[in-house]
Amino acid sequence: MNRRPPQYSLLRPVPRARLRPMSTDRPDATESAYLVDAGHFQVETDVLRLGRQRFGRQDTHQELGLNHANLKLGLTRTMDVQLVVESYTAQTERGEHPGARAGFGDLTLRVKRNLWGNDGGRTALALMPFVKLPTGRRTGNHYWEGGVVAPFACQLPHDWSLGSQLQATWVRDEATARHCLELAPTLTVGHDLYKTLGGFVEVAGAWDWRERGWAATLNGGPIWRVTDNVQLDLGLNYPLTKDTETTYFLGVSFRR
């Protein structure tokens, strides 16, 4: 008689000896199709993020982010819950409308459901609905927003990996004072250079419905797997289109 596999949950955690390899939603913009194991906690954070965006010849937008963290908790074999916390953000505008603001930012609640591939196979697919809570009093746009992400992963030969996603977000357009749909596809390629050192190259885009045009960046950087449960990364988001932000970031992820 065949015995059914154990049904792990938040109250019955997966034994540490049976944990899957740690998979993170950072440092690329493409979310992972894999989950945090049931009953385990994972933190993924931008320790430091610096961004600069230029509009025309004089207007610039600068942004500093500290500890923008994604707190993740595994619920079941196929589901985890996540809370994205913008701990501190400082924004500076220079040019025609100068100004500065700083403080605690918005919260984003996300639930990820793996559809296949979480426990094996060359491919994996997940769905992740999310809602942004406008908790930032001095930063952010002070409006509720939400949407859904569909990340896909494929394991390739010779330690290569391929990832992609399509994100649909109901965003607030400040110019028209209305919400509109934004579509943001990505494509990323990763490769392990050594056992503990890897890297990624990614193209990420977003369709601007007001301007009827694309914003796109070329992203990349190294990833250092310090242990099975700790990862460091740093990288750059380089603009491929006009009026798109250049971003530098340093991050850390760990699992308990």
Side-chain angles (χ1 to χ4, degrees):
M1 180 178 179
N2 294 329
R3 299 180 61 183
R4 297 182 60 186
Q7 297 299 310
Y8 298 113
S9 66
L10 178 61
L11 301 180
R12 189 185 181 188
V14 176
R16 299 195 67 84
R18 303 190 63 176
L19 290 177
R20 294 185 296 266
M22 188 174 74
S23 179
T24 62
D25 288 327
R26 61 169 302 111
D28 52 11
T30 305
E31 312 289 359
S32 172
Y34 304 100
L35 306 179
V36 178
D37 286 281
H40 291 267
F41 182 66
Q42 189 164 304
V43 177
E44 306 169 14
T45 181
D46 271 331
V47 176
L48 174 67
R49 178 172 287 265
L50 298 171
R52 179 182 174 88
Q53 188 174 7
R54 179 180 293 275
F55 303 94
R57 295 183 177 181
Q58 297 182 341
D59 293 353
T60 61
H61 169 84
Q62 295 180 333
E63 185 167 310
L64 165 68
L66 299 176
N67 192 34
H68 286 197
N70 186 4
L71 313 178
K72 308 168 75 170
L73 181 63
L75 300 181
T76 69
R77 185 179 63 84
T78 59
M79 185 177 296
D80 66 26
V81 63
Q82 309 178 9
L83 180 65
V84 180
V85 182
E86 299 177 2
S87 301
Y88 179 82
T89 301
Q91 299 170 331
T92 304
E93 310 289 343
R94 296 179 180 176
E96 186 177 353
H97 302 288
R101 51 184 180 172
F104 185 84
D106 297 326
L107 297 175
T108 302
L109 180 63
R110 319 196 306 183
V111 177
K112 187 186 294 185
R113 173 72 159 83
N114 177 266
L115 300 182
W116 76 70
N118 203 40
D119 295 307
R122 290 187 58 188
T123 64
L125 180 68
L127 288 177
M128 185 169 63
F130 65 92
V131 59
K132 189 204 78 175
L133 288 64
T135 53
R137 294 184 178 182
R138 298 180 181 178
T139 62
N141 61 5
H142 311 296
Y143 288 97
W144 291 75
E145 296 177 334
V148 63
V149 187
F152 173 80
C154 180
Q155 301 301 320
L156 303 176
H158 307 296
D159 296 322
W160 288 85
S161 62
L162 175 70
S164 65
Q165 74 176 30
L166 179 61
Q167 177 173 322
T169 309
W170 195 240
V171 300
R172 178 75 174 186
D173 182 13
E174 296 291 345
T176 62
R178 296 186 303 174
H179 282 78
C180 61
L181 183 65
E182 177 185 86
L183 297 178
T186 67
L187 180 66
T188 184
V189 176
H191 181 53
D192 290 339
L193 304 176
Y194 300 100
K195 184 177 180 180
T196 60
L197 181 64
F200 77 97
V201 176
E202 175 187 57
V203 176
W207 174 256
D208 188 327
W209 291 92
R210 181 167 58 89
E211 298 293 340
R212 295 296 190 270
W214 284 94
T217 59
L218 178 64
N219 312 328
I223 302 169
W224 179 28
R225 301 178 186 90
V226 183
T227 70
D228 291 341
N229 300 301
V230 179
Q231 174 180 294
L232 300 177
D233 62 71
L234 60 89
L236 164 70
N237 299 341
Y238 182 79
L240 298 177
T241 53
K242 184 180 178 181
D243 297 337
T244 303
E245 187 175 63
T246 303
T247 306
Y248 306 88
F249 58 84
L250 169 68
V252 61
S253 304
F254 62 89
R255 175 176 64 178
R256 293 292 301 242

